[in-house]
Amino acid sequence: MRNIWTIFKREIRQYFVSPIAYLVAFAVLLLLGLSFNTDLDYRVANQLRPDATLVLSNFAFLMVFFAPLLTMRLFAEEAREGTLELLMTMPTRDVDLVIGKFLGAWVYYCVLLALTLVFEGALLSITNFGPEGFPLRSRVDIGQIIAAYIGIFLYGGATIAIGLMFSAMTENQIVAAFLSMAVLLMLWVGDIAGLVPASILSTEVVEALRVISLQSHYSSSFLRGLIVLEDMYFYIAIMVVSLFVTTRLVESRRWR
Amino acid sequence: MSFIQRVIPNFTIRRVAHTAAILGSIALLAALIVYLSESALTTPVFVLLVIGLGGLSIWLVLAPDELRDWLMGRQVYYGIGSFILTLIVIAIATVGYSLAVEQNVIIDLTETQNYTISQPSINVLENIENRLRVLSAQAESAGIESDLHFRLVGFYTREQLRDQKSAEFLLRQYVEASTAGLRLEFYDPDVNPLLARQFGYSVIFDNTQITSGPIFLALYDGDQLLTVENIGEPTERNVQNAMLRISLAGEFKVYFIQGQLEADITIESDVGYSAAALILRERGILVDTLRLQDVEAIPEDATAIVILGAQAPYSQAQVDKIADYIERGGRMLVLADPPYADSRDSTLPNRFMLEGDSFNTYLWETFGVRFRENLVADPASSARNEFILTGLRVNTGSPPLRDFQNVPMVMTLARSLDIVEQPTEKQAEYVRSIMILAATSAFGERNLQVVDLGNLSEFDPNVDDAGDQVLATAIYRVNELEQEVQPRIILIGDSDWLANLYISPEDGSDGVLGNILLWANIAEWLTGYADLAEIDVASRPDLLPLYATSKELSRIQFITLFILPSIVLLVGGVVWVVRQRI
Amino acid sequence: MIEVQGLVKRFGDFTALNHISFKAEEGEILGFLGPNGAGKTTTMRILTGYMPPTDGQARVAGFDVFEQSLQVRQRIGYLPELVRLYPDMTVRGYVEFVAEMRGLKNRRQRAEEVLEMVGMAHRAKSLIRTLSKGMRQRVGLAQALVHNPPVLILDEPTIGLDPQQVAELRTIIQQLGRQHTIMFSTHVLTEAEQVCDRVVIINRGNIVAEGRPDELREKVQDNTRVFVRIQGRFDEKKLLNMLNTLNGVEKSEAFQGGFVVTAKNNVEIRPSLAKAILEQGLNLLELRPLAITLEDIFLEYTRQ
């Protein structure tokens, strides 16, 4: 436990002193800002209802590409740079090492996620808390936003756990990032596998893909304001399984 | 041997053994895949199996020490150990997932509780299932075997699996609450086109106008489909309405009174009122017309009567029949237009509900409400004409409007209502609940002679009606639930708002949402349908379109596209520079 | 403190360690000598629990390095070869991080102490990326020492240091040797000779010699070699031929402006050697037994 905290502190500090982390945050916020403003303009011009969860679903999609960038270094870089050798000869259980690193990345992710609250604030300033007048202000459902944030928070944990697993699998950061991007993308598009014609993917396969898809477990529940036990469980299970496999992979260095 | 080595350099027996082992493993894997896909022990599976086992045997014979080393090695021990442990963890996680699905724990955080079914909904479900039991019992006593049950059937294409999932979250709760085996089924309309046609499924998505489906409530006997009721989009209200329509089919009957130049509910043009009747029928309410002259009394089966924009006065005899009906607990809606010649029949001035006529007097003396002889004008109306009233103030505290959604509503050429301030003992038996007020800028123009369309009215403080102009009021008994009979009356100083033009225009557009909802709310309250379908849906401003001034939009752009990324970049830069100096 | 029994490590077909066994007692400084690729680093990695042995046993402070890896790791301070430290941490930050991982309470104080000990206190606030190789080596040593472990394993601690730094580091190791069991590897032989209580020489995964430096020297000295320096005109080839034919001479070769003559079976050849040279009409400038250094021993054992 103590070592988890030690590793976590080091990792989180690492994120906040590294220019890469700021560049990632900058890129994510800029992309989100562009899509957010485009969407606002479009909705105002076409008199459509506001969608408070759009920023979050975009954020979740961007994480398919950015989460691997956050996690690739965690083990692959240490293995490549040789710093892992000292780390692994410390009196630390491998699972503490894995959890510490995981929590560090997850907290950094949460900071990024928290920054997106600015977009929600902007939307609320012209809806629920907008100056009243005519035409009437629309409202967004704050409960729905809360549920969506809980969902995307858990989703992030799952993506990071998967990224971490690939980072522990290889010593090459780029390979780790590509592998986890590919897997995350597949798990992400699994939700919309139904768009593939039936001649290529049977409906059973499509439904099976949706069950393991990372997107489907927030798109029809959390994003709509629901906290569903099975979806919450799904993300936690993905995290637990991924971290378990990661621990076994790290541990395997000791007996391979 | 030397010959082979010349052809293949580095040839050793060990190498042959390895190649055989790899080929054998691949063949075994292929055999497994083929077997799983064909799920039968076909010839190719058999051949691959033989190749695989053969390859592995060659390896065993040529390099027997390797297998032994491999099996004894720590790598295998730990590798297989880790692998099995991982499988166990995954298996536990999977079992846990299905357990989690079974638990069906859903927390609905939406402010409007979009995905939670309320107790009244459960009551309605119980109600229809009880009727089902009665029907089954009847069939059994008649010696007919029956397996009557309801099914919630949803049609979602492969592309809409996501929507299906969220529909499932709501509908699953009905299955959970059911005591008579309600089933939930989903079909792909592309895969089951016949079934979809049987249900009348037709969903047009491109203009978001849903005609029928995707969710239906169906009554089955065994596997035989008996009746289908369209639910539409999966919301609690829709499901409940469908259930009520099934359970209340034929229970409610509304008579539109004819004989005093009332509006015609058969005319389908924009100035007709056919849509009003249609909306009632869609709710399973029977609709008929009634001439008071032709009957001794208003029939017992009348759930409510509607007097829709009469132009001629009611006689004392007619009023007596109405009074008798109300005494018996009848329900009545009166929509009266201002007493001047309107466009529908310009030769005769409207003489319905003049001050002092028998009907208006009855209303005043019994209920403490009467129609005024005025025309409500709103100089500040946002419409092109001051007699087109916008900015109406809706009292959602009034029972008929309890779940009214706060959306725009329009009334045109309306008269206001006079409500007693010091009720007599008789009047005090009733509650007068104001439903709709005109905008604060409105007044009641008394000079009906000079008022003509196109002319501007002018407020004359000596004659005209000042203050809040009441456009609609509901009347019901004090302590209604404790009364033997529960008469209900709604008086509205305008009939035009209910015309097809507003609730179902010919051009196919949606009409004025507020007017449609007002009619639905009135009908549900008068028939008592609302008492059954009691869903407290708070007003839904979230249905309004997003509105923002361009100033607000550019401010948001500035903050989200410039300030926020710049701060991140700046902090990053500062950290970088500081660390360069260490 | 360190017991290695029949340790084997294979990487695929390559055998890095082939049944090696050795011991290090408490308070002993054990030098681990061998050319590059001899298996020094592999042995140390196995001892620190970073890598498993293929076969055999290794125990540190009574704990098996594989089965009780955690206990072993608690009792070891390890300086890996080419110390890799987190470049984006400060020196003190890093040492404190290790101290925390090691479960120390008085981290700051302890970090300052060890940094003082290795002479890095003045750079405590610097980022590791800005340090020179030698300085990193010292930070690496500091982190290995921070929890005052009973066993120190130092892999090539002096590599890449300038001579003065090397000297300083040797002093540090010698001082530490009083309280710690130290095992350190090197291929610089003088270093082992100066510092170590005992030396293990390893080549191609096999232990070729083991013992105190002077013991080893004696062993080799038995096989007497004599250095002669000659003045006068002579043909080198002819002279070598002549020397080789001498009674009791195993071989001779040119060496540093003179000749090294090796005797057979410890035969004392110096008198006959001097006589033979003088008989040739040459002046004998120098005739002495060749000083045996560890380097010679090392070459001797690793040549085979």
Side-chain angles (χ1 to χ4, degrees):
Chain A
M1 272 317 283
R2 187 196 69 230
N3 283 331
I4 294 180
W5 174 239
T6 310
I7 303 262
F8 164 77
K9 273 193 302 187
R10 201 201 81 78
E11 289 299 332
I12 197 76
R13 193 170 303 155
Q14 193 67 30
Y15 277 116
F16 286 104
V17 299
S18 113
I20 297 292
Y22 289 94
L23 287 178
V24 166
F26 173 75
V28 167
L29 289 175
L30 199 65
L31 288 171
L32 284 182
L34 284 172
S35 67
F36 174 73
N37 284 294
T38 317
D39 178 70
L40 271 196
D41 290 349
Y42 179 78
R43 281 173 198 274
V44 169
N46 292 286
Q47 304 216 328
L48 299 171
R49 281 185 235 154
D51 181 357
T53 59
L54 184 92
V55 168
L56 282 173
S57 44
N58 284 343
F59 182 77
F61 177 63
L62 287 179
M63 274 310 128
V64 169
F65 303 99
F66 285 102
L69 296 184
L70 296 179
T71 54
M72 62 178 186
R73 60 173 201 82
L74 290 176
F75 280 106
E77 188 188 55
E78 293 228 24
R80 168 62 59 91
E81 295 295 312
T83 47
L84 193 61
E85 184 173 350
L86 260 180
L87 203 55
M88 296 225 4
T89 53
M90 301 276 170
T92 313
R93 290 183 308 154
D94 297 329
V95 64
D96 292 352
L97 201 64
V98 169
I99 292 177
K101 280 176 175 286
F102 167 72
L103 288 180
W106 201 10
V107 166
Y108 172 76
Y109 169 90
C110 291
V111 170
L112 258 186
L113 186 61
L115 285 176
T116 66
L117 284 171
V118 172
F119 298 111
E120 303 297 342
L123 187 61
L124 284 172
S125 79
I126 54 167
T127 53
N128 299 31
F129 305 122
E132 283 182 31
F134 195 81
L136 290 172
R137 296 291 179 161
S138 183
R139 274 179 68 90
V140 293
D141 192 330
I142 292 177
Q144 188 191 4
I145 295 177
I146 291 169
Y149 268 87
I150 293 172
I152 300 302
F153 160 74
L154 291 171
Y155 161 84
T159 56
I160 283 165
I162 290 171
L164 190 66
M165 184 168 69
F166 284 104
S167 184
M169 231 174 246
T170 164
E171 294 198 359
N172 189 326
Q173 287 195 60
I174 307 298
V175 171
F178 263 107
L179 280 177
S180 36
M181 263 182 217
V183 167
L184 287 178
L185 192 64
M186 278 197 305
L187 289 179
W188 196 83
V189 295
D191 190 29
I192 47 171
L195 300 176
V196 178
S199 54
I200 299 170
L201 277 183
S202 71
T203 305
E204 289 76 27
V205 175
V206 168
E207 272 164 5
L209 282 175
R210 286 199 80 252
V211 170
I212 58 159
S213 163
L214 283 176
Q215 189 191 186
S216 69
H217 289 272
Y218 68 78
S219 65
S220 28
S221 51
F222 290 110
L223 278 196
R224 301 192 189 208
L226 287 176
I227 293 180
V228 178
L229 178 69
E230 69 213 50
D231 289 337
M232 212 152 137
Y233 177 89
F234 174 81
Y235 289 123
I236 292 169
I238 288 276
M239 284 183 243
V240 169
V241 170
S242 302
L243 293 182
F244 182 83
V245 173
T246 311
T247 309
R248 296 283 86 79
L249 285 171
V250 171
E251 193 186 67
S252 76
R253 288 169 185 279
R254 299 197 196 279
W255 52 256
R256 256 191 291 158
Chain B
M1 200 51 132
S2 59
F3 168 73
I4 299 174
Q5 269 175 341
R6 228 174 294 137
V7 179
I8 312 164
N10 305 326
F11 176 88
T12 58
I13 287 183
R14 201 160 281 274
R15 211 162 263 265
V16 174
H18 289 168
T19 315
I22 290 166
L23 287 178
S25 309
I26 291 171
L28 279 185
L29 201 68
L32 185 72
I33 291 167
V34 174
Y35 174 71
L36 286 181
S37 67
E38 296 188 357
S39 61
L41 208 63
T42 53
T43 322
V45 178
F46 189 70
V47 170
L48 284 169
L49 211 59
V50 169
I51 296 176
L53 292 176
L56 290 182
S57 327
I58 292 174
W59 175 57
L60 277 183
V61 171
L62 294 183
D65 54 317
E66 279 188 10
L67 179 73
R68 199 190 54 227
D69 286 358
W70 189 73
L71 285 179
M72 308 268 290
R74 197 188 37 241
Q75 270 100 332
V76 177
Y77 177 76
Y78 282 95
I80 290 180
S82 285
F83 186 70
I84 289 173
L85 266 180
T86 306
L87 285 187
I88 290 173
V89 168
I90 291 174
I92 292 173
T94 313
V95 170
Y97 182 75
S98 28
L99 284 178
V101 172
E102 262 173 41
Q103 292 299 310
N104 195 24
V105 177
I106 299 173
I107 303 167
D108 186 356
L109 286 189
T110 55
E111 285 170 16
T112 41
Q113 293 291 292
N114 296 346
Y115 295 94
T116 309
I117 64 170
S118 53
Q119 191 54 41
S121 260
I122 295 170
N123 294 346
V124 171
L125 180 67
E126 222 162 78
N127 188 11
I128 64 165
E129 292 190 330
N130 284 337
R131 288 174 62 89
L132 204 63
R133 284 197 193 92
V134 173
L135 283 176
S136 287
Q138 281 171 355
E140 307 245 315
S141 64
I144 307 163
E145 219 173 285
S146 79
D147 171 26
L148 287 173
H149 64 270
F150 282 110
R151 292 183 196 177
L152 284 164
V153 180
F155 287 95
Y156 289 96
T157 61
R158 291 152 51 85
E159 293 86 349
Q160 300 156 358
L161 283 174
R162 207 193 257 221
D163 302 309
Q164 173 181 323
K165 189 78 200 258
S166 48
E168 208 186 322
F169 289 131
L170 176 70
L171 300 179
R172 237 156 52 173
Q173 299 183 55
Y174 286 96
V175 176
E176 196 100 318
S178 164
T179 54
L182 176 76
R183 292 191 219 168
L184 174 61
E185 289 172 357
F186 288 104
Y187 296 102
D188 185 340
D190 297 332
V191 177
N192 303 289
L194 282 177
L195 191 70
R197 206 174 305 149
Q198 207 180 354
F199 273 78
Y201 166 87
S202 70
V203 177
I204 304 157
F205 273 99
D206 31 351
N207 61 357
T208 66
Q209 187 190 354
I210 291 168
T211 331
S212 180
I215 308 281
F216 298 91
L217 179 65
L219 179 60
Y220 274 83
D221 186 359
D223 279 331
Q224 201 194 340
L225 177 62
L226 300 181
T227 50
V228 173
E229 195 62 51
N230 177 36
I231 290 176
E233 282 297 297
T235 65
E236 187 184 13
R237 194 192 173 90
N238 285 351
V239 175
Q240 197 178 48
N241 280 339
M243 287 183 174
L244 282 173
R245 282 198 298 276
I246 281 200
S247 69
L248 300 177
E251 297 251 308
F252 294 142
K253 190 164 190 179
V254 171
Y255 285 100
F256 284 80
I257 305 297
Q258 297 286 294
Q260 308 304 121
L261 301 174
E262 287 86 353
D264 191 336
I265 55 164
T266 58
I267 296 174
E268 291 179 356
S269 72
D270 273 350
V271 295
Y273 289 79
S274 59
L278 191 68
I279 287 175
L280 296 183
R281 289 198 184 99
E282 278 175 356
R283 283 177 157 62
I285 298 170
L286 301 175
V287 175
D288 206 347
T289 57
L290 181 72
R291 289 173 63 87
L292 288 177
Q293 296 91 322
D294 299 350
V295 290
E296 277 292 306
I298 294 171
E300 281 294 328
D301 67 351
T303 316
I305 59 170
V306 178
I307 298 169
L308 178 53
Q311 299 281 309
Y314 275 47
S315 68
Q316 188 60 48
Q318 288 169 324
V319 174
D320 288 344
K321 286 176 188 169
I322 290 171
D324 163 60
Y325 172 65
I326 299 294
E327 285 289 293
R328 287 187 273 133
R331 279 132 192 231
M332 172 171 71
L333 168 66
V334 183
L335 302 155
D337 290 311
Y340 86 103
D342 88 345
S343 53
R344 248 190 306 143
D345 190 349
S346 55
T347 55
L348 281 171
N350 179 5
R351 293 178 52 244
F352 180 59
M353 286 287 184
L354 295 181
E355 282 171 10
D357 84 352
S358 48
F359 203 168
N360 223 355
T361 309
Y362 162 70
L363 291 178
W364 179 254
E365 284 176 354
T366 318
F367 307 110
V369 184
R370 64 186 161 199
F371 287 96
R372 285 170 168 160
E373 284 181 31
N374 66 8
L375 178 59
V376 179
D378 179 8
S381 168
S382 64
R384 60 189 141 75
N385 185 304
E386 60 182 344
F387 302 122
I388 300 178
L389 305 175
T390 58
L392 301 177
R393 289 174 285 160
V394 174
N395 172 21
T396 50
S398 168
L401 298 176
R402 207 160 32 186
D403 55 359
F404 188 79
Q405 302 173 4
N406 193 8
V407 286
M409 185 200 293
V410 176
M411 289 201 176
T412 95
L413 295 169
R415 67 200 289 183
S416 63
L417 291 157
D418 189 9
I419 294 182
V420 69
E421 275 166 31
Q422 298 289 329
T424 63
E425 200 175 316
K426 192 175 182 195
Q427 290 163 338
E429 287 178 16
Y430 290 92
V431 179
R432 287 156 289 276
S433 167
I434 293 170
M435 291 164 59
I436 301 168
L437 291 170
T440 47
S441 49
F443 66 95
E445 175 63 64
R446 283 267 170 181
N447 188 352
L448 296 174
Q449 275 69 41
V450 294
V451 172
D452 198 354
L453 287 178
N455 287 1
L456 287 177
S457 58
E458 200 175 317
F459 180 63
D460 179 350
N462 297 322
V463 188
D464 292 339
D465 297 314
D468 280 341
Q469 298 299 304
V470 179
L471 296 178
T473 188
I475 299 160
Y476 52 95
R477 294 286 286 272
V478 176
N479 298 328
E480 194 181 41
L481 291 175
E482 292 156 23
Q483 305 297 324
E484 232 168 86
V485 289
Q486 289 116 16
R488 287 177 177 180
I489 297 169
I490 290 178
L491 305 176
I492 300 179
D494 180 34
S495 73
D496 307 295
W497 66 271
L498 194 53
N500 292 350
L501 173 65
Y502 294 109
I503 63 173
S504 175
E506 284 181 311
D507 61 12
S509 61
D510 290 341
V512 181
L513 187 55
N515 291 20
I516 299 169
L517 291 175
L518 178 61
W519 176 235
N521 278 281
I522 288 171
E524 285 171 8
W525 185 69
L526 279 183
T527 54
Y529 190 100
D531 305 343
L532 297 163
E534 204 176 322
I535 303 174
D536 261 340
V537 180
S539 61
R540 297 282 302 274
D542 57 322
L543 296 174
L544 289 175
L546 184 62
Y547 168 75
T549 61
S550 53
K551 204 173 157 192
E552 285 168 331
L553 283 179
S554 49
R555 193 181 59 215
I556 288 175
Q557 256 176 26
F558 180 69
I559 291 172
T560 55
L561 280 178
F562 181 73
I563 300 269
L564 182 62
S566 306
I567 287 177
V568 170
L569 217 52
L570 203 72
V571 173
V574 167
V575 169
W576 188 73
V577 168
V578 166
R579 291 183 62 83
Q580 285 300 302
R581 297 213 179 143
I582 296 178
Chain C
M1 285 307 267
I2 302 175
E3 276 174 86
V4 173
Q5 257 317 316
L7 207 61
V8 178
K9 179 70 192 175
R10 290 196 198 96
F11 297 102
D13 286 340
F14 173 69
T15 304
L17 295 177
N18 188 15
H19 294 93
I20 66 164
S21 307
F22 63 88
K23 264 188 179 183
E25 301 300 332
E26 197 163 347
E28 195 174 45
I29 302 181
L30 179 74
F32 210 47
L33 271 168
N36 289 327
K40 299 184 301 258
T41 299
T42 306
T43 310
M44 292 184 148
R45 283 181 167 178
I46 290 172
L47 284 176
T48 53
Y50 179 63
M51 216 181 239
T54 309
D55 201 2
Q57 265 210 336
R59 301 176 82 80
V60 172
F63 295 102
D64 187 280
V65 292
F66 185 71
E67 303 291 340
Q68 293 155 304
S69 172
L70 211 59
Q71 283 92 326
V72 170
R73 280 182 271 151
Q74 271 163 358
R75 288 162 177 81
I76 279 184
Y78 178 41
L79 172 74
E81 187 187 13
L82 307 169
V83 222
R84 312 276 200 177
L85 309 170
Y86 296 111
D88 279 320
M89 292 182 93
T90 61
V91 169
R92 178 156 57 208
Y94 182 73
V95 176
E96 279 182 24
F97 163 68
V98 174
E100 201 177 340
M101 292 286 285
R102 296 281 185 190
L104 297 190
K105 292 249 153 57
N106 50 344
R107 295 191 281 275
R108 171 145 290 208
Q109 191 201 335
R110 205 36 215 158
E112 274 164 15
E113 275 171 29
V114 286
L115 285 175
E116 190 67 48
M117 199 187 293
V118 300
M120 281 299 292
H122 65 294
R123 295 297 298 268
K125 284 179 184 161
S126 302
L127 284 184
I128 289 173
R129 67 158 80 253
T130 63
L131 298 184
S132 71
K133 211 167 175 183
M135 287 176 163
R136 287 184 203 193
Q137 201 82 13
R138 291 199 231 178
V139 176
L141 193 63
Q143 68 80 26
L145 288 171
V146 72
H147 55 304
N148 203 13
V151 178
L152 265 176
I153 294 186
L154 313 174
D155 196 356
E156 306 259 15
T158 55
I159 199 169
L161 302 188
D162 62 43
Q164 197 201 332
Q165 289 170 333
V166 171
E168 281 172 22
L169 196 68
R170 280 181 200 155
T171 320
I172 293 175
I173 291 174
Q174 269 173 324
Q175 284 165 358
L176 288 170
R178 286 171 207 143
Q179 306 115 21
H180 304 76
T181 304
I182 301 180
M183 171 175 173
F184 87 94
S185 73
T186 179
H187 58 258
V188 180
L189 309 152
T190 42
E191 186 167 293
E193 201 167 5
Q194 283 177 19
V195 176
C196 297
D197 298 327
R198 234 150 45 78
V199 172
V200 170
I201 301 177
I202 180 172
N203 189 32
R204 293 189 193 162
N206 292 291
I207 290 185
V208 289
E210 190 184 348
R212 289 205 311 277
D214 50 336
E215 268 174 19
L216 290 177
R217 189 179 301 145
E218 262 170 36
K219 257 190 212 167
V220 178
Q221 218 160 8
D222 288 344
N223 199 355
T224 317
R225 291 194 297 168
V226 177
F227 180 74
V228 284
R229 201 178 336 203
I230 297 161
Q231 196 187 38
R233 294 169 59 95
F234 59 89
D235 180 52
E236 198 179 294
K237 240 182 199 163
K238 269 187 189 162
L239 190 72
L240 280 174
N241 271 336
M242 185 277 290
L243 291 175
N244 279 337
T245 54
L246 278 177
N247 207 9
V249 168
E250 163 139 17
K251 63 173 179 179
S252 55
E253 56 203 336
F255 183 76
Q256 290 178 354
F259 300 90
V260 171
V261 182
T262 312
K264 268 182 203 157
N265 307 325
N266 263 346
V267 178
E268 180 55 79
I269 56 166
R270 271 177 287 182
S272 53
L273 199 61
K275 207 167 151 195
I277 289 167
L278 293 173
E279 275 170 11
Q280 294 288 316
L282 298 167
N283 294 328
L284 185 60
L285 290 184
E286 205 178 339
L287 175 68
R288 60 175 166 87
L290 197 63
I292 302 297
T293 63
L294 211 48
E295 187 142 5
D296 303 312
I297 303 165
F298 180 70
L299 284 173
E300 187 67 33
Y301 283 117
T302 57
R303 191 175 290 150
Q304 296 130 20

